[in-house]
Amino acid sequence: FDKWTDGQRRRILVDLLERCSLSQQKFCAKQLQARVPTEAVDFTTRLPRVLSLYIFSFLDPRSLCRCAQVSWHWKYLSELDQLWMPKCLRFGWFINFCPTPFEQGVWKKHYVEMVRELRVTRPKTPSKDEFIVIDVQPVKRDVPERKLSVAARGTTRGKKELPPWRSSDRNPTDTIRYNYLDNYDPIEQARQA
């Protein structure tokens, strides 16, 4: 068996499993489960119920309702009264009867009814006719703009000047740089420049 290839080993194992009885196949399955790690395991089925409920207790009502759509087991857990009762009591929503052990989901139904009574809706967005658009006027300057002469306009069209931060000059002279680590007065430094 040690000298056989992987394909030969698989063929022999398939032949052996086909000839085994059901009890022998169950035995093989248990042995494989013990040796091969399982993947994508639902934590709510592996953990104790108390821990699963503790994890679900941190979820808000909307997330709990979404969890109820995952599987039947999650639906059962997410609709338990142990999760919904504290959410109702936080808002002071009490039920006026004592549910029997056979009545499950009473607190969730009560929570949903109370939220419906609140009639919480999204804020209404006004229609296009209700929007008010203010007429915006440009701000007029006190200083009149300089008009370029015709000769100056012609030179700027032919050659584009780059802004100081994009020019090729390595030592720009038109910028005033303040180094706040030198304890100089910035106004005094600007006057010196």
Side-chain angles (χ1 to χ4, degrees):
F1 189 78
D2 292 338
K3 295 180 181 179
W4 290 347
T5 64
D6 187 50
Q8 290 173 335
R9 289 180 182 183
R10 288 183 185 187
R11 274 187 251 133
I12 293 297
L13 289 174
V14 168
D15 289 341
L16 284 174
L17 288 174
E18 286 176 354
R19 293 182 184 183
C20 291
S21 66
L22 184 61
S23 64
Q24 293 167 348
Q25 289 177 354
K26 286 182 181 179
F27 173 76
C28 290
K30 287 181 183 177
Q31 291 295 321
L32 287 174
Q33 283 179 354
R35 293 180 183 216
V36 178
T38 55
E39 297 176 1
V41 176
D42 184 11
F43 71 93
T44 59
T45 58
R46 297 289 180 179
L47 289 177
R49 182 175 166 207
V50 175
L51 290 179
S52 298
L53 286 176
Y54 181 71
I55 292 170
F56 279 142
S57 70
F58 291 103
L59 297 176
D60 60 310
R62 178 174 286 175
S63 300
L64 277 175
C65 292
R66 288 179 180 158
C67 286
Q69 298 173 352
V70 172
S71 66
W72 287 104
H73 187 67
W74 281 42
K75 179 178 172 53
Y76 168 73
L77 286 176
S78 63
E79 291 185 353
L80 287 175
D81 290 336
Q82 291 93 335
L83 294 174
W84 289 94
M85 185 175 65
K87 295 180 185 327
C88 289
L89 296 179
R90 185 179 306 139
F91 293 110
W93 299 338
F94 301 101
I95 56 175
N96 53 5
F97 65 95
C98 184
T100 64
F102 301 108
E103 291 179 298
Q104 288 295 324
V106 174
W107 285 97
K108 179 183 178 183
K109 290 175 188 171
H110 184 65
Y111 186 91
V112 171
E113 288 174 11
M114 295 304 289
V115 170
R116 280 188 189 146
E117 286 179 12
L118 290 176
R119 294 190 179 105
V120 177
T121 58
R122 293 182 180 176
K124 182 185 171 191
T125 55
S127 63
K128 292 180 181 178
D129 301 333
E130 295 177 12
F131 277 114
I132 300 172
V133 179
I134 301 171
D135 188 23
V136 180
Q137 298 292 330
V139 178
K140 296 180 181 178
R141 294 184 181 179
D142 295 337
V143 180
E145 294 183 19
R146 295 182 296 162
K147 292 186 178 180
L148 295 173
S149 63
V150 178
R153 280 189 216 157
T155 58
T156 57
R157 283 186 190 164
K159 180 184 176 185
K160 293 184 180 179
E161 292 185 23
L162 294 173
W165 61 88
R166 305 249 345 240
S167 67
S168 60
D169 187 12
R170 290 188 181 192
N171 301 317
T173 57
D174 57 343
T175 58
I176 300 172
R177 299 176 189 266
Y178 300 110
N179 187 356
Y180 292 102
L181 296 177
D182 301 335
N183 292 317
Y184 299 127
D185 185 21
I187 298 171
E188 191 62 39
Q189 205 175 9
R191 286 185 189 156
Q192 291 174 358

